[in-house]
Structures are given as C-alpha cells and as structure tokens.
Amino acid sequence: MTKPAPRFPLPLDRVPTKGRAPEVVHPQRPLREAARSNVAAPSGVGLDSAAVRARMVQRLRAAGIDDERVLAAFDAVPRHAFVDSALVNQAYEDTSLPIGFEQTISKPSVVARMLALLADRPAASIARPLGKVLEVGTGCGYQAALLSELASSVVSIERVRPLHERARANLDALGRHRSVASIRLVFGDGLRGHPPNAPYDTIIAAAGGDDLPATWVDQLAEGGRLVAPWHDAAIGGQRLVVIDRRGGLITRRALDAVHFVPLKSGTQ
Ligand code: SAH
C-alpha cells in the first residue's frame, strides 16, 4: 500500500511544520582525493574522456547555460563512470540513460538548467552557491557528484536500496579529484525530505509527482530555493517549478516543460 502524497499547490502563507521521523542514515565514507588525470577513460568512450566531456560542456554553453560554476561542475564529473559499461558511448550525449529499476540518469541539459536555477538564488555564496543542498532521488549518484562541486554539503535520498548502494559504490570508486563538499547518502522516502539536516539552502528533486510535498517547502531555509518537476494539469505534463522562501513569503514559478521519472512513496 502506498500513502497518498501531500497535496500541492501549497497555500502561499503556509506556516512550516516541524518534526517527522528520521530516516536511516548511511554516512558515506570520506571521498578519496585523486588526481583528476587518474580518472581512467573506459574503452568505448574514446581515448580521452576529458575531451568528450569538454564537448558536452560546449553544447551546454551553446544551449544557454551561462553559469561558469555549473559548467565547471559538468567538466569535472565523469558521467561515464556512473552508467553501465554498455552505455559509456552515449554517456556524453544529451540523453537520459537507464540505470536499472526502471529509473534513468537525467539528461545533462535539464540537470544543468536546474543547477543554474539553484545557483542563481539571490542569497547564494559565490564559491558554493548551492549551500546546504538536499537531493531527492540519488539514482546512480551522478547529480550528487555535480552538487558536491557547487554546494557546501549534500544530503541525497534514494528510495530504492540497490540504487542507494550503487550510488555509494560509484562515488567511492571514482575517488574525487578536488576538494568537494561532503555527500551524505540516505536510504529512505524522500517525500518526507530529511528532517535531521533541515533546513536546506537548496532542494532539488530528480523525480516528479502530481503534487509537490509540503515537507520540502517546510525544510527550505530562509533565502532558500527549491527546483523540482511538478505535474501541471494545464499542459497535461511536468514543468520545472521554482519555489523561493524569502522574507517569510513563499513564491512559486513554473518554467520549462520536462519529463522525469515518477516520484513514489515508501521504499523498495
Ligand atoms: N539524480 C539521479 C537521477 C535518478 S532518477 C542521477 O543522477 O542518477 C530519479 C530517482 O528518484 C530514482 O532513482 C528513483 O528511485 C528516485 N525516487 C523516486 N521517488 C523517490 C522518493 N520518494 N524518495 C527518494 N527517491 C525517490
């Protein structure tokens, strides 16, 4: 049995509520430092994955992503290291790719758009514009790695245990190449957010439901921004929604049409 999701739209004058059951937390081992040049290119992605990745970054720039910090994050994280070896040839194309359990690693252009929206909030620091970030839907861990380039700390929740474990293995195996923010991987239902580390400066969801959980907005810090896919009945599909909490007010904007995997309740 699944629980009904919290309702959305939220009343704009909603007062945050507090205190929900904590999730089981699996703190990640400290990420190993490794020289960037030590990240090996797998066979099939070409001899020089850095060059293929640089071309992906150029395409993101050409598509209108102009935040250099976001572009640098895409340049720094090897997407091919997060996908099945049969898919490495497609790792730097602008497509979503299967990661098992009917889930997909999101399309780079959409991830870049979401990260740029989060980095653009007025209260953001220059160096770590995402501050303390909550990600709902760890999947294979690729976006968590990107977030760690832009945030001061990352909490990422996944409801499918084997994916949660694979993300940890992927992030551990990669080692990291620069000083990055800590990544805390949590196995649990992200519909509840993650109260133990709340509030968050930024929240990003990689799965979309009919409703946007009120708990996420409750866990957003003053000056914080949330970006998530949300089902817009007016267009009969998902759109990116941006929610800001500022001066005690919650504001909401619906932007681009997108297509994300479903946000589900409970764990698997
Ligand atoms: N950011 C991921 C994308 C994964 S796809 C990446 O870079 O790979 C979206 C993920 O959201 C899936 O793994 C799915 O299992 C997860 N998901 C869906 N509903 C969820 C929920 N309520 N809580 C946590 N994760 C959820």
Side-chain angles (χ1 to χ4, degrees):
M1 285 288 288
T2 55
K3 290 182 304 219
R7 305 302 301 172
F8 193 82
L10 296 158
L12 294 185
D13 59 352
R14 191 186 157 84
V15 178
T17 58
K18 296 215 183 300
R20 286 181 173 79
E23 306 293 328
V24 181
V25 179
H26 301 274
Q28 194 186 342
R29 293 204 300 272
L31 295 171
R32 294 187 304 277
E33 286 293 321
R36 192 170 164 203
S37 55
N38 287 348
V39 177
S43 58
V45 78
L47 286 178
D48 187 355
S49 74
V52 190
R53 193 156 57 251
R55 283 200 291 279
M56 174 184 75
V57 170
Q58 277 169 13
R59 288 195 302 273
L60 291 174
R61 196 189 297 276
I65 302 298
D66 59 2
D67 187 318
E68 292 301 327
R69 300 164 299 187
V70 172
L71 293 168
F74 276 87
D75 194 44
V77 179
R79 193 170 187 251
H80 67 259
F82 291 84
V83 298
D84 193 88
S85 56
L87 297 170
V88 290
N89 278 328
Q90 298 166 61
Y92 294 104
E93 291 173 12
D94 194 29
T95 51
S96 52
L97 293 171
I99 53 173
F101 306 91
E102 299 174 351
Q103 306 304 320
T104 55
I105 178 174
S106 313
K107 202 170 149 165
S109 58
V110 175
V111 176
R113 168 80 165 138
M114 294 173 86
L115 298 183
L117 285 165
L118 288 176
D120 191 38
R121 84 201 150 91
S125 87
I126 303 282
R128 297 274 159 195
L130 270 48
K132 192 166 135 190
V133 61
L134 172 69
E135 176 188 39
V136 178
T138 314
C140 66
Y142 173 65
Q143 183 172 278
L146 292 171
L147 292 170
S148 74
E149 298 281 328
L150 298 163
S152 50
S153 67
V154 181
V155 175
S156 181
I157 309 184
E158 173 56 56
R159 66 178 289 280
V160 178
R161 190 184 279 280
L163 284 175
H164 161 75
E165 286 166 357
R166 187 176 308 163
R168 180 160 36 194
N170 284 342
L171 289 164
D172 279 357
L174 188 62
R176 289 311 303 272
H177 36 73
R178 306 206 304 219
S179 63
V180 290
S182 66
I183 304 176
R184 171 169 287 234
L185 298 179
V186 180
F187 170 63
D189 181 357
L191 285 174
R192 297 156 185 246
H194 189 61
N197 294 95
Y200 301 95
D201 299 311
T202 51
I203 300 179
I204 184 168
D210 287 348
D211 306 300
L212 205 68
T215 45
W216 296 354
V217 182
D218 293 346
Q219 291 174 25
L220 202 56
E222 166 61 27
R225 175 169 286 182
L226 180 160
V227 177
W230 161 76
H231 183 83
D232 184 353
I235 65 164
Q238 293 173 342
R239 291 173 73 178
L240 283 184
V241 68
V242 178
I243 292 184
D244 284 306
R245 178 190 288 278
R246 205 167 318 133
L249 286 177
I250 306 289
T251 56
R252 183 170 76 104
R253 288 179 286 151
L255 304 173
D256 333 6
V258 286
H259 185 67
F260 279 81
V261 294
L263 184 67
K264 295 182 178 171
S265 63
T267 54
Q268 173 185 328

PDB file of all heavy atoms in Angstrom, residues 176-198:
ATOM      1  N   ARG A 176      37.614  11.350  -5.575  1.00  0.00           N
ATOM      2  CA  ARG A 176      37.284  12.670  -6.116  1.00  0.00           C
ATOM      3  C   ARG A 176      38.555  13.428  -6.365  1.00  0.00           C
ATOM      4  O   ARG A 176      39.589  13.152  -5.800  1.00  0.00           O
ATOM      5  CB  ARG A 176      36.301  13.410  -5.207  1.00  0.00           C
ATOM      6  CG  ARG A 176      34.904  12.796  -5.253  1.00  0.00           C
ATOM      7  CD  ARG A 176      34.376  12.554  -6.666  1.00  0.00           C
ATOM      8  NE  ARG A 176      34.333  13.748  -7.468  1.00  0.00           N
ATOM      9  CZ  ARG A 176      33.301  14.583  -7.515  1.00  0.00           C
ATOM     10  NH1 ARG A 176      32.233  14.345  -6.841  1.00  0.00           N
ATOM     11  NH2 ARG A 176      33.354  15.634  -8.268  1.00  0.00           N
ATOM     12  N   HIS A 177      38.449  14.358  -7.231  1.00  0.00           N
ATOM     13  CA  HIS A 177      39.627  14.959  -7.817  1.00  0.00           C
ATOM     14  C   HIS A 177      39.933  16.337  -7.268  1.00  0.00           C
ATOM     15  O   HIS A 177      40.918  16.933  -7.592  1.00  0.00           O
ATOM     16  CB  HIS A 177      39.428  15.036  -9.323  1.00  0.00           C
ATOM     17  CG  HIS A 177      38.005  15.329  -9.672  1.00  0.00           C
ATOM     18  ND1 HIS A 177      37.469  16.553  -9.483  1.00  0.00           N
ATOM     19  CD2 HIS A 177      37.014  14.516 -10.116  1.00  0.00           C
ATOM     20  CE1 HIS A 177      36.187  16.495  -9.830  1.00  0.00           C
ATOM     21  NE2 HIS A 177      35.888  15.282 -10.214  1.00  0.00           N
ATOM     22  N   ARG A 178      39.001  16.877  -6.475  1.00  0.00           N
ATOM     23  CA  ARG A 178      39.226  18.221  -5.950  1.00  0.00           C
ATOM     24  C   ARG A 178      38.652  18.249  -4.542  1.00  0.00           C
ATOM     25  O   ARG A 178      38.059  17.284  -4.091  1.00  0.00           O
ATOM     26  CB  ARG A 178      38.473  19.252  -6.796  1.00  0.00           C
ATOM     27  CG  ARG A 178      38.788  19.164  -8.246  1.00  0.00           C
ATOM     28  CD  ARG A 178      38.585  20.462  -8.929  1.00  0.00           C
ATOM     29  NE  ARG A 178      37.241  20.989  -8.757  1.00  0.00           N
ATOM     30  CZ  ARG A 178      36.602  21.597  -9.733  1.00  0.00           C
ATOM     31  NH1 ARG A 178      37.165  21.714 -10.909  1.00  0.00           N
ATOM     32  NH2 ARG A 178      35.407  22.108  -9.535  1.00  0.00           N
ATOM     33  N   SER A 179      38.801  19.366  -3.878  1.00  0.00           N
ATOM     34  CA  SER A 179      38.140  19.457  -2.583  1.00  0.00           C
ATOM     35  C   SER A 179      36.659  19.630  -2.863  1.00  0.00           C
ATOM     36  O   SER A 179      36.242  20.519  -3.580  1.00  0.00           O
ATOM     37  CB  SER A 179      38.668  20.647  -1.800  1.00  0.00           C
ATOM     38  OG  SER A 179      38.365  21.834  -2.464  1.00  0.00           O
ATOM     39  N   VAL A 180      35.866  18.691  -2.367  1.00  0.00           N
ATOM     40  CA  VAL A 180      34.430  18.735  -2.626  1.00  0.00           C
ATOM     41  C   VAL A 180      33.669  18.711  -1.309  1.00  0.00           C
ATOM     42  O   VAL A 180      34.213  18.349  -0.277  1.00  0.00           O
ATOM     43  CB  VAL A 180      33.978  17.539  -3.489  1.00  0.00           C
ATOM     44  CG1 VAL A 180      34.499  17.658  -4.899  1.00  0.00           C
ATOM     45  CG2 VAL A 180      34.398  16.235  -2.864  1.00  0.00           C
ATOM     46  N   ALA A 181      32.416  19.090  -1.391  1.00  0.00           N
ATOM     47  CA  ALA A 181      31.570  19.069  -0.203  1.00  0.00           C
ATOM     48  C   ALA A 181      31.293  17.627   0.203  1.00  0.00           C
ATOM     49  O   ALA A 181      31.317  16.722  -0.619  1.00  0.00           O
ATOM     50  CB  ALA A 181      30.256  19.770  -0.534  1.00  0.00           C
ATOM     51  N   SER A 182      31.008  17.428   1.478  1.00  0.00           N
ATOM     52  CA  SER A 182      30.653  16.096   1.937  1.00  0.00           C
ATOM     53  C   SER A 182      29.322  15.685   1.313  1.00  0.00           C
ATOM     54  O   SER A 182      28.448  16.520   1.094  1.00  0.00           O
ATOM     55  CB  SER A 182      30.529  16.092   3.453  1.00  0.00           C
ATOM     56  OG  SER A 182      29.441  16.900   3.839  1.00  0.00           O
ATOM     57  N   ILE A 183      29.208  14.407   0.985  1.00  0.00           N
ATOM     58  CA  ILE A 183      27.951  13.877   0.455  1.00  0.00           C
ATOM     59  C   ILE A 183      27.436  12.844   1.452  1.00  0.00           C
ATOM     60  O   ILE A 183      28.128  11.873   1.753  1.00  0.00           O
ATOM     61  CB  ILE A 183      28.148  13.188  -0.920  1.00  0.00           C
ATOM     62  CG1 ILE A 183      28.789  14.149  -1.927  1.00  0.00           C
ATOM     63  CG2 ILE A 183      26.816  12.661  -1.440  1.00  0.00           C
ATOM     64  CD1 ILE A 183      29.112  13.504  -3.271  1.00  0.00           C
ATOM     65  N   ARG A 184      26.236  13.070   1.950  1.00  0.00           N
ATOM     66  CA  ARG A 184      25.611  12.102   2.854  1.00  0.00           C
ATOM     67  C   ARG A 184      24.512  11.400   2.085  1.00  0.00           C
ATOM     68  O   ARG A 184      23.563  12.047   1.628  1.00  0.00           O
ATOM     69  CB  ARG A 184      25.045  12.821   4.080  1.00  0.00           C
ATOM     70  CG  ARG A 184      24.208  11.926   4.957  1.00  0.00           C
ATOM     71  CD  ARG A 184      23.894  12.602   6.268  1.00  0.00           C
ATOM     72  NE  ARG A 184      25.077  12.643   7.093  1.00  0.00           N
ATOM     73  CZ  ARG A 184      25.145  12.182   8.348  1.00  0.00           C
ATOM     74  NH1 ARG A 184      24.077  11.677   8.925  1.00  0.00           N
ATOM     75  NH2 ARG A 184      26.262  12.243   9.016  1.00  0.00           N
ATOM     76  N   LEU A 185      24.664  10.096   1.896  1.00  0.00           N
ATOM     77  CA  LEU A 185      23.652   9.324   1.166  1.00  0.00           C
ATOM     78  C   LEU A 185      22.692   8.694   2.163  1.00  0.00           C
ATOM     79  O   LEU A 185      23.121   8.048   3.123  1.00  0.00           O
ATOM     80  CB  LEU A 185      24.322   8.236   0.324  1.00  0.00           C
ATOM     81  CG  LEU A 185      25.277   8.746  -0.765  1.00  0.00           C
ATOM     82  CD1 LEU A 185      25.895   7.568  -1.511  1.00  0.00           C
ATOM     83  CD2 LEU A 185      24.577   9.682  -1.733  1.00  0.00           C
ATOM     84  N   VAL A 186      21.415   8.881   1.937  1.00  0.00           N
ATOM     85  CA  VAL A 186      20.380   8.414   2.853  1.00  0.00           C
ATOM     86  C   VAL A 186      19.469   7.448   2.103  1.00  0.00           C
ATOM     87  O   VAL A 186      19.037   7.751   0.989  1.00  0.00           O
ATOM     88  CB  VAL A 186      19.538   9.607   3.367  1.00  0.00           C
ATOM     89  CG1 VAL A 186      18.445   9.128   4.321  1.00  0.00           C
ATOM     90  CG2 VAL A 186      20.422  10.651   4.032  1.00  0.00           C
ATOM     91  N   PHE A 187      19.192   6.291   2.712  1.00  0.00           N
ATOM     92  CA  PHE A 187      18.192   5.393   2.149  1.00  0.00           C
ATOM     93  C   PHE A 187      16.861   5.711   2.829  1.00  0.00           C
ATOM     94  O   PHE A 187      16.757   5.638   4.060  1.00  0.00           O
ATOM     95  CB  PHE A 187      18.573   3.929   2.404  1.00  0.00           C
ATOM     96  CG  PHE A 187      17.472   2.978   2.059  1.00  0.00           C
ATOM     97  CD1 PHE A 187      17.020   2.870   0.755  1.00  0.00           C
ATOM     98  CD2 PHE A 187      16.859   2.207   3.039  1.00  0.00           C
ATOM     99  CE1 PHE A 187      15.977   2.009   0.429  1.00  0.00           C
ATOM    100  CE2 PHE A 187      15.835   1.344   2.728  1.00  0.00           C
ATOM    101  CZ  PHE A 187      15.387   1.248   1.420  1.00  0.00           C
ATOM    102  N   GLY A 188      15.871   6.092   2.051  1.00  0.00           N
ATOM    103  CA  GLY A 188      14.579   6.403   2.659  1.00  0.00           C
ATOM    104  C   GLY A 188      13.637   7.034   1.653  1.00  0.00           C
ATOM    105  O   GLY A 188      13.958   7.152   0.469  1.00  0.00           O
ATOM    106  N   ASP A 189      12.481   7.416   2.156  1.00  0.00           N
ATOM    107  CA  ASP A 189      11.451   8.030   1.316  1.00  0.00           C
ATOM    108  C   ASP A 189      11.626   9.544   1.319  1.00  0.00           C
ATOM    109  O   ASP A 189      11.370  10.204   2.315  1.00  0.00           O
ATOM    110  CB  ASP A 189      10.073   7.645   1.855  1.00  0.00           C
ATOM    111  CG  ASP A 189       8.953   8.220   1.013  1.00  0.00           C
ATOM    112  OD1 ASP A 189       9.238   8.961   0.044  1.00  0.00           O
ATOM    113  OD2 ASP A 189       7.781   7.930   1.321  1.00  0.00           O
ATOM    114  N   GLY A 190      12.066  10.061   0.183  1.00  0.00           N
ATOM    115  CA  GLY A 190      12.331  11.495   0.081  1.00  0.00           C
ATOM    116  C   GLY A 190      11.093  12.367   0.124  1.00  0.00           C
ATOM    117  O   GLY A 190      11.217  13.594   0.195  1.00  0.00           O
ATOM    118  N   LEU A 191       9.906  11.758   0.076  1.00  0.00           N
ATOM    119  CA  LEU A 191       8.694  12.579   0.208  1.00  0.00           C
ATOM    120  C   LEU A 191       8.679  13.285   1.564  1.00  0.00           C
ATOM    121  O   LEU A 191       8.011  14.300   1.728  1.00  0.00           O
ATOM    122  CB  LEU A 191       7.434  11.709   0.085  1.00  0.00           C
ATOM    123  CG  LEU A 191       7.078  11.247  -1.324  1.00  0.00           C
ATOM    124  CD1 LEU A 191       5.904  10.282  -1.282  1.00  0.00           C
ATOM    125  CD2 LEU A 191       6.727  12.447  -2.191  1.00  0.00           C
ATOM    126  N   ARG A 192       9.400  12.708   2.526  1.00  0.00           N
ATOM    127  CA  ARG A 192       9.465  13.331   3.854  1.00  0.00           C
ATOM    128  C   ARG A 192      10.613  14.324   3.970  1.00  0.00           C
ATOM    129  O   ARG A 192      10.859  14.857   5.042  1.00  0.00           O
ATOM    130  CB  ARG A 192       9.689  12.250   4.914  1.00  0.00           C
ATOM    131  CG  ARG A 192       8.576  11.251   5.007  1.00  0.00           C
ATOM    132  CD  ARG A 192       9.111   9.952   5.595  1.00  0.00           C
ATOM    133  NE  ARG A 192       8.072   8.932   5.584  1.00  0.00           N
ATOM    134  CZ  ARG A 192       7.543   8.413   6.698  1.00  0.00           C
ATOM    135  NH1 ARG A 192       7.980   8.786   7.876  1.00  0.00           N
ATOM    136  NH2 ARG A 192       6.609   7.511   6.615  1.00  0.00           N
ATOM    137  N   GLY A 193      11.359  14.505   2.887  1.00  0.00           N
ATOM    138  CA  GLY A 193      12.567  15.308   2.996  1.00  0.00           C
ATOM    139  C   GLY A 193      13.545  14.581   3.900  1.00  0.00           C
ATOM    140  O   GLY A 193      13.531  13.350   3.984  1.00  0.00           O
ATOM    141  N   HIS A 194      14.377  15.315   4.594  1.00  0.00           N
ATOM    142  CA  HIS A 194      15.286  14.704   5.567  1.00  0.00           C
ATOM    143  C   HIS A 194      15.423  15.656   6.753  1.00  0.00           C
ATOM    144  O   HIS A 194      16.344  16.464   6.820  1.00  0.00           O
ATOM    145  CB  HIS A 194      16.642  14.404   4.930  1.00  0.00           C
ATOM    146  CG  HIS A 194      17.521  13.591   5.823  1.00  0.00           C
ATOM    147  ND1 HIS A 194      17.180  12.332   6.247  1.00  0.00           N
ATOM    148  CD2 HIS A 194      18.712  13.877   6.402  1.00  0.00           C
ATOM    149  CE1 HIS A 194      18.127  11.865   7.040  1.00  0.00           C
ATOM    150  NE2 HIS A 194      19.066  12.791   7.154  1.00  0.00           N
ATOM    151  N   PRO A 195      14.481  15.535   7.730  1.00  0.00           N
ATOM    152  CA  PRO A 195      14.446  16.490   8.845  1.00  0.00           C
ATOM    153  C   PRO A 195      15.744  16.640   9.638  1.00  0.00           C
ATOM    154  O   PRO A 195      16.057  17.752  10.062  1.00  0.00           O
ATOM    155  CB  PRO A 195      13.311  15.957   9.735  1.00  0.00           C
ATOM    156  CG  PRO A 195      12.446  15.167   8.809  1.00  0.00           C
ATOM    157  CD  PRO A 195      13.379  14.575   7.780  1.00  0.00           C
ATOM    158  N   PRO A 196      16.538  15.549   9.849  1.00  0.00           N
ATOM    159  CA  PRO A 196      17.706  15.724  10.725  1.00  0.00           C
ATOM    160  C   PRO A 196      18.676  16.814  10.267  1.00  0.00           C
ATOM    161  O   PRO A 196      19.370  17.400  11.088  1.00  0.00           O
ATOM    162  CB  PRO A 196      18.396  14.354  10.689  1.00  0.00           C
ATOM    163  CG  PRO A 196      17.311  13.397  10.354  1.00  0.00           C
ATOM    164  CD  PRO A 196      16.378  14.134   9.442  1.00  0.00           C
ATOM    165  N   ASN A 197      18.777  17.066   8.965  1.00  0.00           N
ATOM    166  CA  ASN A 197      19.719  18.075   8.483  1.00  0.00           C
ATOM    167  C   ASN A 197      19.032  19.365   8.045  1.00  0.00           C
ATOM    168  O   ASN A 197      19.697  20.275   7.539  1.00  0.00           O
ATOM    169  CB  ASN A 197      20.565  17.516   7.338  1.00  0.00           C
ATOM    170  CG  ASN A 197      21.479  16.401   7.806  1.00  0.00           C
ATOM    171  OD1 ASN A 197      21.132  15.228   7.694  1.00  0.00           O
ATOM    172  ND2 ASN A 197      22.607  16.737   8.378  1.00  0.00           N
ATOM    173  N   ALA A 198      17.713  19.430   8.175  1.00  0.00           N
ATOM    174  CA  ALA A 198      16.967  20.619   7.733  1.00  0.00           C
ATOM    175  C   ALA A 198      17.287  21.796   8.660  1.00  0.00           C
ATOM    176  O   ALA A 198      17.637  21.587   9.825  1.00  0.00           O
ATOM    177  CB  ALA A 198      15.476  20.317   7.750  1.00  0.00           C
TER     178      ALA A 198
END
